Amino acid sequence: MISEKMTAMVKNSSAIRAMFEEGKIMAAKYGAENVYDFSLGNPNVPAPEAVKQAIENILQEEDPLMVHGYMSNSGYEDVRAAIADSLNQRFGTKFHQENILMTVGAAGGLNVVMKTLLNPGEEVLTFAPYFGEYRSYVSNYEGILRAVPANTVDFQPNLEQFEAMICEKTKAVIVNSPNNPTGVVYSEATIRKMAAILEKKEKEYGTSIYLVSDEPYRELAYDGVEVPYLTKYYHNTIVGYSYSKSLSLPGERIGYLVIPDEADDSETIIGAANVANRILGYVNAPSLFQRVIAKCLDAKVDLEYYNRNRKTLYEGLVKAGFSCVKPEGAFYLWMKSPVEDDKAFCEAAKKYHLLIVPGSSFGGSGYVRLAYCVSYETICNALPKFEELAAEYKL
Amino acid sequence: MISEKMTAMVKNSSAIRAMFEEGKIMAAKYGAENVYDFSLGNPNVPAPEAVKQAIENILQEEDPLMVHGYMSNSGYEDVRAAIADSLNQRFGTKFHQENILMTVGAAGGLNVVMKTLLNPGEEVLTFAPYFGEYRSYVSNYEGILRAVPANTVDFQPNLEQFEAMICEKTKAVIVNSPNNPTGVVYSEATIRKMAAILEKKEKEYGTSIYLVSDEPYRELAYDGVEVPYLTKYYHNTIVGYSYSKSLSLPGERIGYLVIPDEADDSETIIGAANVANRILGYVNAPSLFQRVIAKCLDAKVDLEYYNRNRKTLYEGLVKAGFSCVKPEGAFYLWMKSPVEDDKAFCEAAKKYHLLIVPGSSFGGSGYVRLAYCVSYETICNALPKFEELAAEYKL
C-alpha cells in the first residue's frame, strides 16, 4: 500500500544504516568489545563541555517561552546574526543574518535547497564517490543526480569529466570537502578551476548553476590543511553546515544554510528556502540547540582523538598490506578492496567482526569506507583482525 | 531561478506566518502591550518544570555520546517503548515500540506519512475548515488535497459530503481533533460513523484508506470533554502526535507517529516510514528531547490558564455581538465574520491593533480564527477593542 517511489527507496535503502542495525545485533550477540564497527559516522568524541554549560545557562537565564517556542521559520535573528559574524571573522566574508537560515542538520538544509531550486528533470552533479543520501535528496524533488566518475589517482574531483557533463539542465553541483567517504580535502587549486568551469558554463548556457557546499566536516581537518570557503571563489555558492560533527551533536539535528547576497536571485531564494523549511515539516531548526550553538561558536571537539585514530588506522592498514588514501579530513578512511567485488570483501570482513561499508554505496565500487570515529581501543583491537583479513586475501 | 512549484508556494505562503512577522513589526512600532496578536498558535503557558528537571537530570546522568548521538532513524527504542506503554495505559491499546516512530513534530510526522503513502495523483480528504499546511504536506508528494465542505451548524465533519467524495483514488483522510481552527472536538458518534463509512468504501473499492489523525491538541480539551482515540474505532488509523502544545515545546520539534499492527501492510509502512524519516532529511527526531519527553509522559501544562482565556474571550466576544463557536479544545476560537469578506474584516481589525486570521486561510471563508494562547491581560485589554470593532460593524 506504500507509494511506488518509496518501495524503490526502501529496496535501495542505506547500506550504512542497515549495517548500523546489524552492528547492534552483533554487539548483543558477541559483546560490544568483540565487534569492530566502522560503519557509521556517529562521533565518539563527546560534545565539548561548553555545550552542557550553555544548556544549563540558557535554562537558568532565558525565558522558557522563548527558548522552546516558535520563532521565524528561518531561526532566531540573534543566533543567525551571531553565526554571520563568526563566519565573517573567520573567512573575511560579509554575511548578515538574512543570509543564514537555521536548519534541521545539513540533511534538512540540503533538502531545503533542492526543494527550493529543482524543477522535475533538472540535473544535479556530484563527484564520485559521494554520500549516497544525495541521490534521495535530489530525487525527493524529481531532480536527477549524475555522478562525475572518480579520479582514482588522488580523489580530487575529476574536472575534465565534470566540464563535459554540465549541460543546460544542470541546476546545481553538490561538493563535500572534507569528503565523505574519501577523507580528501579539495584543494584551493581544485576550487578555483571548478569555479572557472562553472562561470564559463553559466555564460555558455545563460543559466545559473548553484554550487552547494555540504560542509559537516569543515572543522575536521588534520596536519594544518586548509579547507577553502567556497563563497569566496564562486558567486552562486550555497553552504550547508551542520554541528553534527564539529560539536558532536548528530542526534540534535542542528545546522544552517548560507545563501549569500552574491548568489543570483538571492532574495527570492532566501524567501523560498524559508517557506520550504516550513512546508517540508521542519518548521524550524530545534530551538534550544539554536540558542546553544550561538553560545558555542568557538567550541571544538577533541580533534586530536580523531587524529590519533586516523594515524594508527592508516599506518596499521598500510602495514597489513592494504592500499589506502591517506585521510586529510573528516573521520573516514578510503581503502581499496583487494578484490573487485567490494561487497563480497565487506561480507568476508564480517567473519572477523569487522563492519566496513562497501564503496559501491557511495558510487565508488572497488573501495570500502572505514569510519574511524570509534574508540582508540577499537582501532588497536581491530588491527590484528585486519591483518587476518589481509592474510586471507594474501596481501 | 527557484523551482516553479516553489514560486507558487511562496505566493500562497502562509497568511498566519505572514501575520506573525507583521505582528513583530507592529509590536516594535506601537509597543508589544498595545498590539493584540491572536494570529499564531505559539503557546504562552511555559513548559512544565518537569521538562527543565528532565534536561538537567539527563545532562548529569546520561552519556553525552548517547544523548546527542545518532540512534535508529525511528528513535531510541527505550523512548518508543515508554510512549507505547503510556498510550496503552491511557487508552487500553496494545502498542509496542515498533509501532512508534519519533518525528520532528507533527508536521514532520505528517510529511513522513504522505511521503510513505502517496503516489502522484492520489487524493487525500480533509474537512473544512482545516490547517492550511495540509495542502503543502500533500502536494509535496504530488498528492491532491480535497476538502469536504464545512458543516456550519456545529462544525462536526460533514459526513454525507465525505461519503460522496471518497473514490478509488482516496488514499488517506486527515482529521484534526481538537480542531484547528474551530476548537471543536469530534464526538465519538462522529468517529463511529466516519469509521463505518471508511470500512464500507474500502470494501466497495477494494482499497486501503488510511485515517491520519493529527493530534497536537489532544491534551487541550475543556469541560471534561472526551477526545476519542481513533485507532480503537478504525483499523487503518495512523496517529501523528506532537509535544508542541501538550508540553509547550513547539520550537523543539518533537513528536511521534503511531502505526498500529492492525493497519493494512503495517510492517511495510513502518519500514518505509523509517526510511522516509531519513531521506526527507529529518534523519531522526531531536535526540535530547526524545529523552526528555520519555521522562515527562505524565507532565502537563497549566490547562486552566487556557481555559480562563477561552471563557473570557468567548463571553466577551459574544457580549460584544459577535457570533462564535464555543471552543471545546485546542486554543482557537472560531468566529463568524460580520461581513462575507473575512479578509477585509481582518484588515479592519488591524486598525484596532487586533491581529486575527481570515478563515479563508483554512478553507473556511466568512469566518476568522483567534488563537487565545496569549496572556490573560492581552484578552482583557483586547476586549474593548473588539467592542469598538463590533460597533464599526453595527453589531
Side-chain angles (χ1 to χ4, degrees), chain B residues 41-208:
Chain B
N42 199 5
N44 74 307
V45 171
E49 186 63 23
V51 166
K52 187 176 164 186
Q53 203 52 60
I55 296 172
E56 283 169 357
N57 290 350
I58 290 164
L59 293 182
Q60 292 307 323
E61 292 160 18
E62 299 187 19
D63 175 4
L65 284 174
M66 189 270 286
V67 170
H68 305 303
Y70 285 131
M71 79 301 304
S72 294
N73 297 126
S74 297
Y76 293 107
E77 281 83 357
D78 62 332
V79 172
R80 292 154 65 199
I83 290 171
D85 286 350
S86 164
L87 292 173
N88 295 344
Q89 277 178 34
R90 287 179 66 190
F91 304 112
T93 48
K94 290 182 178 169
F95 303 132
H96 44 94
Q97 60 108 335
E98 283 82 4
N99 300 123
I100 311 293
L101 188 151
M102 304 306 298
T103 60
V104 171
L110 290 183
N111 272 275
V112 165
V113 171
M114 296 304 150
K115 173 86 175 168
T116 299
L117 294 180
L118 293 183
N119 288 302
E122 286 182 338
E123 294 184 1
V124 178
L125 296 180
T126 195
F127 297 92
Y130 61 93
F131 180 46
E133 296 291 281
Y134 295 159
R135 196 162 286 284
S136 304
Y137 302 163
V138 171
S139 85
N140 281 343
Y141 312 101
E142 312 295 330
I144 295 161
L145 186 77
R146 296 180 67 204
V148 180
N151 152 17
T152 54
V153 178
D154 59 7
F155 286 95
Q156 291 282 323
N158 183 335
L159 293 179
E160 276 188 26
Q161 292 257 19
F162 172 59
E163 183 165 358
M165 284 174 73
I166 298 175
C167 69
E168 272 188 318
K169 287 188 184 169
T170 309
K171 189 62 165 280
V173 179
I174 306 177
V175 290
N176 173 223
S177 166
N179 186 261
N180 175 11
T182 65
V184 166
V185 174
Y186 294 178
S187 70
E188 192 179 14
T190 295
I191 298 302
R192 285 194 191 281
K193 281 183 215 160
M194 190 184 288
I197 291 168
L198 285 168
E199 278 163 12
K200 185 178 132 190
K201 289 290 178 182
E202 282 194 327
K203 270 192 200 145
E204 185 177 333
Y205 295 118
T207 56
S208 297

Side-chain angles (χ1 to χ4, degrees), chain A residues 1 3-4 17 24 68 71-72 115-116 119 133 140 171 251-253 265 278-280 282 287, chain B residues 1 3-4 17 24 68 71-72 115-116 119 133 140 251-253 265 278-280 282 287:
Chain A
M1 299 301 168
S3 81
E4 288 171 29
R17 279 284 172 169
K24 285 199 296 183
H68 305 302
M71 77 301 302
S72 294
K115 174 84 174 167
T116 299
N119 287 302
E133 297 290 280
N140 281 343
K171 189 64 164 278
E252 304 297 356
R253 315 308 303 132
D265 277 327
R278 194 186 78 231
I279 67 179
L280 282 175
Y282 307 115
S287 52
Chain B
M1 298 304 167
S3 82
E4 286 171 30
R17 279 285 173 169
K24 286 198 296 184
H68 305 303
M71 79 301 304
S72 294
K115 173 86 175 168
T116 299
N119 288 302
E133 296 291 281
N140 281 343
E252 304 298 355
R253 316 308 303 131
D265 277 329
R278 193 186 78 230
I279 67 179
L280 281 174
Y282 307 115
S287 52

Side-chain angles (χ1 to χ4, degrees), chain A residues 60-85:
Chain A
Q60 291 307 323
E61 292 161 18
E62 299 188 17
D63 175 3
L65 284 175
M66 187 271 285
V67 170
H68 305 302
Y70 285 132
M71 77 301 302
S72 294
N73 296 126
S74 297
Y76 294 107
E77 281 81 358
D78 63 333
V79 172
R80 292 154 65 198
I83 290 170
D85 286 349

Side-chain angles (χ1 to χ4, degrees), chain A residues 45 222 301-311:
Chain A
V45 171
Y222 310 101
V301 294
D302 178 9
L303 200 58
E304 200 38 53
Y305 196 99
Y306 292 137
N307 194 24
R308 184 174 61 158
N309 281 1
R310 174 181 76 112
K311 285 182 186 163

Side-chain angles (χ1 to χ4, degrees), chain B residues 294-339:
Chain B
K295 287 179 180 283
C296 296
L297 291 171
D298 298 319
K300 287 180 173 62
V301 294
D302 178 9
L303 200 58
E304 199 39 51
Y305 196 100
Y306 293 136
N307 194 24
R308 183 174 61 159
N309 282 1
R310 175 181 75 114
K311 286 182 185 165
T312 307
L313 184 63
Y314 176 74
E315 284 161 17
L317 291 171
V318 169
K319 196 176 147 220
F322 291 104
S323 173
C324 304
V325 177
K326 189 170 184 187
E328 301 173 283
F331 40 46
Y332 303 111
L333 187 145
W334 189 239
M335 182 168 95
K336 200 158 168 35
S337 167
V339 288

